[in-house]
Structure formats: C-alpha cells, structure tokens
Amino acid sequence: MDSGEPRFACRIHITRTIICIMMSLRSIFRTMTTLAPQAKKQKLHKLIGTHNGTFHCDEALAVFLLRQTNTYRDSDVKRSRDPAVLETCDIVVDVGAVYDEAKQLFDHHQRGFTEVFGHGFETKLSSAGLVYKHFGKEVIANKTQLPAEDPKVQTLWLKMYKEFIEAIDAIDNGISQYPSDIQPKYKSRTDLSSRVASLNPRWNQPTSPEILDAQFSKASLLTGEEFLGKLDSYATAWLPARDLLISSIESSKQTDPTGKILVFDQFLPWKEHLFELEKESGVADSDKAIYVVYPDDGGSWRIQAVPVTSESFDSRKALPEAWRGLRDDTLSAASGIEGCVFVHASGFIGGNKTKEGAMKLAQAALAM
Ligand SMILES: *[C@@H]1O[C@H](CO)[C@@H](O)[C@H](O)[C@H]1NC(C)=O
Ligand SMILES: *[C@@H]1O[C@H](CO)[C@@H](O)[C@H](O)[C@H]1NC(C)=O
Ligand SMILES: CC(=O)N[C@H]1CO[C@H](CO)[C@@H](O)[C@@H]1O
C-alpha cells in the first residue's frame, strides 16, 4: 500500500515535530532554570548608595567597611542625591535623611538623629560610626579570623571605636576635640579626615562626576588601609600584651605573696590594659598592683611604680623618697641592696642589674 506510507511518514513527521517542540520547550525551561541562579548571582553584586559631590572621610570609610562584609562584598557604589536613584540601592549611607537598619538606610544628617556608639561613648555618630556600629564586629571577626562570638572581637571593636572611629564621627559632626575656647598652640592637619578632604579636587582643578567618583574610590581605599593597619596592630600587638598581663596578674602571688608586684619576662605595653582590666574585674584598691618589674634593653631590670591613672605622673606608691635621684653604689648603700643602678628623682622608676635585685627593691619599697 503506497498511500499508507506517506501517511505513516507524515504521522512520524508530526510525532517528531511534537517531540522536537517538546524538547525545545524543555531546553528553554532548562535554560531558564539554569539562568535563574545566574541572575540571582548577579543580584548578589549589591549596590551601595551614597551622596555625590564633595566626599568626606565618614562615608569613604563606611563604604570600605561595607565592602568587607559578606552581604556587601564587592558591591558597586552609586553616588547620587536623587531619591529615585538611591531607591535602586541595596543600602544607602550618609544621604537620604533616614536611619533605619531594617531598610538598610544609614544617614545621620536628619533632624532628631541622636545615635551614639554607646559603651560609654557619647559622640554623635557619622555614617562611619553608624556602619561600624552595625557591621564592625563582622569585619573584625573576618580580618582577625576569630569566631564572631570570641570576646576578643568585642574588645577590638571597642578599642577601634575609641582609637580610630570616634574621631571621624566627631570631626564629621563638627564636635571640637577641646570643648572650651582654648586656642590650640599649633595646627595638626594630617589626620585621616583632612587627608580624605584633600583628595577632593581643588577649586581650580577640573572636576566632573567621573573625577569625583575616581577620587572617592581612592579615599575609600585610603581610609580602609588605615583601618586595617590599626586593626592589625591592635590584634597582633596590643591584644597579646593584654594576654601576657593577664597571666602575670594571675601568677603574681607566686612571685610575691602580696600579689602587688607584677613581673614580666619582657617589656610590654601594660599601663592601659592594667587600668582597664582592674576596672573590668572590680578589684579592690587594696589589692591593686603597686610595682611592675621587667627587663630593659640593656639586660638590666627595671622596677616601675604603677601610676594613679594611665596618663598620670603620680604613682600609687612611688619608690621611697630616700632612694630617689641616687645611682649605683650610693643607691645600693641607701637601699641596702647591692647592684642597684638608679631610682628616678620622682620615684616612678628604678633599676637593678638582675631580676632578683629588682624584685628585692620592689619588696623593700612595698614594705616601707
Ligand atoms: C549630584 O547628583 C544630582 C542628581 O543626580 C545632580 O543633579 C547634581 O548635579 C550632582 N551634583 C554634583 C556636584 O555632581
Ligand atoms: C573573610 O572574608 C573572606 C573574603 O571573602 C572569605 O573568603 C573568608 O572566608 C572570610 N573569613 C572568615 C574567617 O570569615
Ligand atoms: C648584677 C647585680 O649586681 N645585681 C644586684 C641587684 O641586686 C641584688 C639584690 O641585692 C644583688 O644581689 C645583685 O648583685
């Protein structure tokens, strides 16, 4: 049957076409589903909004910090004051007149904005402090490779606010470092906020949105380098000193039964930590350390009296009056301790050639 074949062929053809169409549909669907995650991935490249025109230290740093977080890593930046443009951003800093964490809006210029860092810090926040308050711990945990819940992250977060961010907040908000009308005796114009300000084009230099955006990128990196440098120094030098001090406080009663003489096997910056740790632990005044003993550069040992406050020249208990301003044999004779090197005229520091000698000086002074 001749006539059947074409009909059969035709049927096959139709079936093939249907299969073909179905397969095409499937492949379109597949393409759509494989494209979907890609589209999502592209959306993961978030957009940070901040104002255009002249830039400042606070939003330069805010943008840098945001780019160190998981959510906003490698984000693009859109600089504009146009609400319609800012609307398209995933987060907005330093513009928009709203502070609302839930909406990721972080401006500080609006009337009624009174946010401060807290933890004893009363300075009104700029966008740097605002972003640092919300994202700082995440950045610190990442950079120091510490778990977010490690107490050291909190310690560094507070330290970096105190030493680095608060000044940026204050300068941005026009808060003077010296609240009285005392005139400073000289100018210091190399602070970070000044250096960022001077990256803006000068009045007689060409400017354009492109130039400003490019300079803003430089400013953001500058603030970020400074931030990371400080953080690194606090994490790798300042914190380890604190740990050593804690262990010498813990073992102080083994060195001297009073526990008032702290001995370090090497010099370490101890003062600020000691005052902070005493404050945290609430130790009674009568149990506080009086002297610290540590080796100096030349292989001799020093005894230093703990000051009344970390900045003060007055000691909790200065070395005895009778020893002050004396050296070597005269001092050894006065103290009855051989090998003495010196006691400073104000009695805040003294030396002996050995650790044992320095300890004896400390113990004798404590008993006097
Ligand atoms: C900032 O952006 C707004 C809105 O896009 C624009 O009108 C204005 O000219 C820009 N200002 C500067 C200084 O570039
Ligand atoms: C920190 O961020 C980097 C860069 O994205 C990431 O690869 C790394 O896993 C993070 N490290 C920690 C400890 O969170
Ligand atoms: C090196 C040295 O002479 N050190 C002296 C420090 O003080 C002690 C305590 O009296 C002396 O015994 C040491 O000789």
Side-chain angles (χ1 to χ4, degrees), residues 26-41:
R26 239 175 73 182
S27 102
I28 287 170
F29 270 122
R30 228 185 252 156
T31 318
M32 280 171 72
T33 46
T34 50
L35 268 181
Q38 259 176 25
K40 246 190 199 162
K41 232 180 222 163

mmCIF file of all heavy atoms in Angstrom, residues 26-41:
data_model
loop_
_atom_site.group_PDB
_atom_site.id
_atom_site.type_symbol
_atom_site.label_atom_id
_atom_site.label_comp_id
_atom_site.label_asym_id
_atom_site.label_seq_id
_atom_site.Cartn_x
_atom_site.Cartn_y
_atom_site.Cartn_z
ATOM 1 N N ARG A 26 11.576 21.986 26.622
ATOM 2 C CA ARG A 26 12.334 21.538 27.798
ATOM 3 C C ARG A 26 13.665 22.279 27.911
ATOM 4 O O ARG A 26 14.068 22.693 28.989
ATOM 5 C CB ARG A 26 12.588 20.030 27.698
ATOM 6 C CG ARG A 26 11.996 19.305 28.900
ATOM 7 C CD ARG A 26 12.128 17.830 28.772
ATOM 8 N NE ARG A 26 13.499 17.385 28.960
ATOM 9 C CZ ARG A 26 13.877 16.115 28.851
ATOM 10 N NH1 ARG A 26 12.978 15.187 28.535
ATOM 11 N NH2 ARG A 26 15.106 15.774 29.049
ATOM 12 N N SER A 27 14.269 22.399 26.726
ATOM 13 C CA SER A 27 15.589 23.055 26.799
ATOM 14 C C SER A 27 15.443 24.541 27.146
ATOM 15 O O SER A 27 16.267 25.111 27.830
ATOM 16 C CB SER A 27 16.366 22.824 25.508
ATOM 17 O OG SER A 27 16.318 23.961 24.694
ATOM 18 N N ILE A 28 14.303 25.129 26.676
ATOM 19 C CA ILE A 28 14.060 26.538 27.064
ATOM 20 C C ILE A 28 13.867 26.635 28.571
ATOM 21 O O ILE A 28 14.451 27.478 29.248
ATOM 22 C CB ILE A 28 12.828 27.113 26.311
ATOM 23 C CG1 ILE A 28 13.194 27.353 24.839
ATOM 24 C CG2 ILE A 28 12.357 28.420 26.949
ATOM 25 C CD1 ILE A 28 12.022 27.691 23.953
ATOM 26 N N PHE A 29 13.038 25.672 29.088
ATOM 27 C CA PHE A 29 12.813 25.658 30.540
ATOM 28 C C PHE A 29 14.126 25.505 31.297
ATOM 29 O O PHE A 29 14.395 26.188 32.275
ATOM 30 C CB PHE A 29 11.876 24.508 30.930
ATOM 31 C CG PHE A 29 10.425 24.932 30.921
ATOM 32 C CD1 PHE A 29 9.488 24.286 30.129
ATOM 33 C CD2 PHE A 29 10.016 25.995 31.725
ATOM 34 C CE1 PHE A 29 8.171 24.681 30.121
ATOM 35 C CE2 PHE A 29 8.688 26.389 31.715
ATOM 36 C CZ PHE A 29 7.756 25.736 30.910
ATOM 37 N N ARG A 30 14.926 24.528 30.748
ATOM 38 C CA ARG A 30 16.204 24.269 31.415
ATOM 39 C C ARG A 30 17.079 25.520 31.423
ATOM 40 O O ARG A 30 17.655 25.895 32.416
ATOM 41 C CB ARG A 30 16.927 23.138 30.699
ATOM 42 C CG ARG A 30 17.423 22.125 31.716
ATOM 43 C CD ARG A 30 18.240 21.078 31.043
ATOM 44 N NE ARG A 30 17.530 19.820 31.000
ATOM 45 C CZ ARG A 30 17.774 18.868 30.103
ATOM 46 N NH1 ARG A 30 18.653 19.052 29.151
ATOM 47 N NH2 ARG A 30 17.133 17.734 30.163
ATOM 48 N N THR A 31 17.110 26.155 30.253
ATOM 49 C CA THR A 31 17.912 27.377 30.154
ATOM 50 C C THR A 31 17.409 28.398 31.162
ATOM 51 O O THR A 31 18.182 29.042 31.859
ATOM 52 C CB THR A 31 17.799 27.988 28.746
ATOM 53 O OG1 THR A 31 17.872 26.927 27.812
ATOM 54 C CG2 THR A 31 18.891 28.989 28.497
ATOM 55 N N MET A 32 16.065 28.478 31.267
ATOM 56 C CA MET A 32 15.501 29.459 32.200
ATOM 57 C C MET A 32 15.894 29.123 33.632
ATOM 58 O O MET A 32 16.269 30.001 34.392
ATOM 59 C CB MET A 32 13.973 29.498 32.081
ATOM 60 C CG MET A 32 13.514 30.324 30.881
ATOM 61 S SD MET A 32 11.756 30.153 30.616
ATOM 62 C CE MET A 32 11.131 31.098 31.995
ATOM 63 N N THR A 33 15.799 27.809 33.951
ATOM 64 C CA THR A 33 16.109 27.460 35.342
ATOM 65 C C THR A 33 17.597 27.593 35.618
ATOM 66 O O THR A 33 17.996 27.935 36.715
ATOM 67 C CB THR A 33 15.624 26.037 35.698
ATOM 68 O OG1 THR A 33 16.015 25.166 34.649
ATOM 69 C CG2 THR A 33 14.140 25.988 35.922
ATOM 70 N N THR A 34 18.439 27.302 34.590
ATOM 71 C CA THR A 34 19.875 27.476 34.864
ATOM 72 C C THR A 34 20.243 28.955 34.859
ATOM 73 O O THR A 34 21.171 29.367 35.522
ATOM 74 C CB THR A 34 20.766 26.731 33.836
ATOM 75 O OG1 THR A 34 20.312 27.074 32.546
ATOM 76 C CG2 THR A 34 20.721 25.241 34.042
ATOM 77 N N LEU A 35 19.462 29.744 34.107
ATOM 78 C CA LEU A 35 19.739 31.185 34.103
ATOM 79 C C LEU A 35 19.341 31.838 35.409
ATOM 80 O O LEU A 35 19.979 32.773 35.857
ATOM 81 C CB LEU A 35 18.964 31.857 32.958
ATOM 82 C CG LEU A 35 19.702 31.977 31.624
ATOM 83 C CD1 LEU A 35 18.818 32.683 30.623
ATOM 84 C CD2 LEU A 35 21.016 32.736 31.799
ATOM 85 N N ALA A 36 18.279 31.280 36.019
ATOM 86 C CA ALA A 36 17.752 31.911 37.225
ATOM 87 C C ALA A 36 18.818 32.114 38.308
ATOM 88 O O ALA A 36 18.979 33.246 38.776
ATOM 89 C CB ALA A 36 16.574 31.120 37.759
ATOM 90 N N PRO A 37 19.571 31.045 38.670
ATOM 91 C CA PRO A 37 20.579 31.275 39.702
ATOM 92 C C PRO A 37 21.626 32.299 39.276
ATOM 93 O O PRO A 37 22.124 33.066 40.077
ATOM 94 C CB PRO A 37 21.238 29.906 39.891
ATOM 95 C CG PRO A 37 20.324 28.926 39.263
ATOM 96 C CD PRO A 37 19.556 29.660 38.229
ATOM 97 N N GLN A 38 21.912 32.318 37.936
ATOM 98 C CA GLN A 38 22.888 33.290 37.465
ATOM 99 C C GLN A 38 22.387 34.709 37.668
ATOM 100 O O GLN A 38 23.129 35.570 38.121
ATOM 101 C CB GLN A 38 23.162 33.054 35.983
ATOM 102 C CG GLN A 38 24.463 32.309 35.770
ATOM 103 C CD GLN A 38 24.690 31.982 34.313
ATOM 104 O OE1 GLN A 38 24.162 32.667 33.434
ATOM 105 N NE2 GLN A 38 25.449 30.947 34.073
ATOM 106 N N ALA A 39 21.103 34.873 37.358
ATOM 107 C CA ALA A 39 20.511 36.194 37.545
ATOM 108 C C ALA A 39 20.592 36.565 39.028
ATOM 109 O O ALA A 39 20.922 37.694 39.385
ATOM 110 C CB ALA A 39 19.067 36.193 37.071
ATOM 111 N N LYS A 40 20.332 35.580 39.880
ATOM 112 C CA LYS A 40 20.397 35.814 41.315
ATOM 113 C C LYS A 40 21.810 36.188 41.719
ATOM 114 O O LYS A 40 22.026 37.091 42.492
ATOM 115 C CB LYS A 40 19.978 34.541 42.062
ATOM 116 C CG LYS A 40 18.684 34.721 42.840
ATOM 117 C CD LYS A 40 18.469 33.534 43.731
ATOM 118 C CE LYS A 40 17.022 33.432 44.170
ATOM 119 N NZ LYS A 40 16.708 32.099 44.664
ATOM 120 N N LYS A 41 22.783 35.439 41.150
ATOM 121 C CA LYS A 41 24.181 35.696 41.476
ATOM 122 C C LYS A 41 24.539 37.142 41.129
ATOM 123 O O LYS A 41 25.202 37.818 41.886
ATOM 124 C CB LYS A 41 25.081 34.736 40.700
ATOM 125 C CG LYS A 41 26.059 34.006 41.608
ATOM 126 C CD LYS A 41 26.926 33.062 40.813
ATOM 127 C CE LYS A 41 27.087 31.743 41.530
ATOM 128 N NZ LYS A 41 27.564 30.689 40.635
#
